[in-house]
């Protein structure tokens, strides 16, 4: 298997795991619908600003926490929460409007974060420019995981130092069922894509460049 494709596959896994965040974020109506939605979305997005295991656990089911994707990341030496800590280092947001219409609602957001595509391209270029001797040495010492570790270390550095910040305006859809507001699963792809500064996370352009 092509080494580069294997490394990129593992990096994409870390993004894919993050996609589940928010699916289980039930929002209970305590005050007005608008107030409760705004407060709950703020709580969820604030967890992205400090993506520790403790903060993100409420938004992930037990199945998500022990998913096959998570296990593959661990085998490659990538800690999911460490990855998010670097990927979301520059994350910020603004809620512009909450509009409720019956059992549906729309939250208009501005999401700002580093452009992960740009950071990934820079990390890939750095690894590609390694000498053949260094590449072979790494592979002999630790196999594919050593090369993945080298790429991830470079990616983390690029993300931490990134000044290429992207602001994406989006609409988060909400549905009310049995008295509880929940994030519409159909808008999660757009949300996480905006969080990572790549637009639609698994659209054709993003997939090709990551």
């Amino acid at each position: 298997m092509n080494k580069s494709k294997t490394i990129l596959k593992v990096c994409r896994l870390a993004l894919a795991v993050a996609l589940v965040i928010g699916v289980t974020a039930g929002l209970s109506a305590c005050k007005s619908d608008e107030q409760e939605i705004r407060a709950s979305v703020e709580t969820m997005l604030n967890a992205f600003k400090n993506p520790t295991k403790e903060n993100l656990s409420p938004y992930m089911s037990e199945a998500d926490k022990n998913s096959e994707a998570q296990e593959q990341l661990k085998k490659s030496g990538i800690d999911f929460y460490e990855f998010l800590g670097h990927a979301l280092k520059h994350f910020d947001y603004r809620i512009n409007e909450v509009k409720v219409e019956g059992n549906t609602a729309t939250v208009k957001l501005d999401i700002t974060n580093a452009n992960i595509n740009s950071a990934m391209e820079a990390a890939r270029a750095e690894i590609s420019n390694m000498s053949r001797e260094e590449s072979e040495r790494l592979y002999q010492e630790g196999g594919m995981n050593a090369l993945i570790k080298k790429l991830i270390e470079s990616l983390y550095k690029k993300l931490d130092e990134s000044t290429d910040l992207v602001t994406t305006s989006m609409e988060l859809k909400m549905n009310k069922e049995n008295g509880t507001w929940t994030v519409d699963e159909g808008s999660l792809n757009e949300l996480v894509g905006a969080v990572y500064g790549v637009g639609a996370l698994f659209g054709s352009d993003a997939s090709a460049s990551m």
Side-chain angles (χ1 to χ4, degrees), residues 161-206:
E161 298 175 352
S162 178
T163 58
D164 181 13
L165 304 185
V166 178
T167 297
T168 304
S169 297
M170 64 158 296
E171 295 184 353
L172 184 66
K173 304 298 184 181
M174 315 290 295
N175 297 313
K176 190 175 186 179
E177 297 181 5
N178 300 319
T180 299
W181 287 99
T182 58
V183 179
D184 183 82
E185 194 168 346
S187 65
L188 285 174
N189 185 55
E190 185 180 357
L191 170 63
V192 180
V195 168
Y196 281 112
V198 298
L201 184 58
F202 296 118
S204 57
D205 292 341

Side-chain angles (χ1 to χ4, degrees), residues 43-181:
T43 298
M44 183 174 71
L45 293 179
N46 283 339
F48 279 118
K49 296 184 75 168
N50 186 20
T52 63
K53 185 174 183 178
E54 179 182 4
N55 287 343
L56 294 181
S57 287
Y59 304 100
M60 301 177 71
S61 69
E62 289 305 314
D64 297 328
K65 296 173 188 176
N66 300 290
S67 67
E68 181 180 349
Q70 288 254 39
E71 290 303 315
Q72 290 185 48
L73 290 174
K74 290 178 183 178
K75 289 179 181 178
S76 298
I78 299 174
D79 180 86
F80 173 54
Y81 297 99
E82 182 181 8
F83 181 95
L84 290 182
H86 292 281
L88 301 177
K89 183 178 179 66
H90 303 286
F91 171 75
D92 203 357
Y93 71 93
R94 182 174 65 185
I95 297 176
N96 296 313
E97 182 184 20
V98 178
K99 187 175 182 179
V100 179
E101 295 181 335
N103 290 326
T104 63
T106 301
V107 183
K108 293 186 178 181
L109 299 165
D110 285 338
I111 302 291
T112 300
N113 197 22
N115 186 331
I116 200 168
N117 273 355
S118 177
M120 176 66 78
E121 287 294 334
R124 287 175 61 185
E126 187 171 287
I127 299 305
S128 296
N129 290 331
M130 282 195 311
S131 67
R132 181 177 178 180
E133 291 76 13
E134 184 177 2
S135 179
E136 290 180 346
R137 177 185 61 78
L138 282 172
Y139 191 76
Q140 289 173 357
E141 290 178 356
M144 183 58 63
N145 284 349
L147 293 174
I148 292 173
K149 181 180 179 182
K150 187 72 173 179
L151 176 65
I152 292 299
E153 288 175 350
S154 177
L155 176 61
Y156 287 172
K157 187 173 187 294
K158 304 299 182 187
L159 287 170
D160 289 349
E161 298 175 352
S162 178
T163 58
D164 181 13
L165 304 185
V166 178
T167 297
T168 304
S169 297
M170 64 158 296
E171 295 184 353
L172 184 66
K173 304 298 184 181
M174 315 290 295
N175 297 313
K176 190 175 186 179
E177 297 181 5
N178 300 319
T180 299
W181 287 99

Side-chain angles (χ1 to χ4, degrees), residues 32-49:
S32 72
D33 285 334
E34 180 179 338
Q35 289 174 327
E36 182 60 27
I37 289 171
R38 181 181 291 272
S40 297
V41 170
E42 286 177 349
T43 298
M44 183 174 71
L45 293 179
N46 283 339
F48 279 118
K49 296 184 75 168

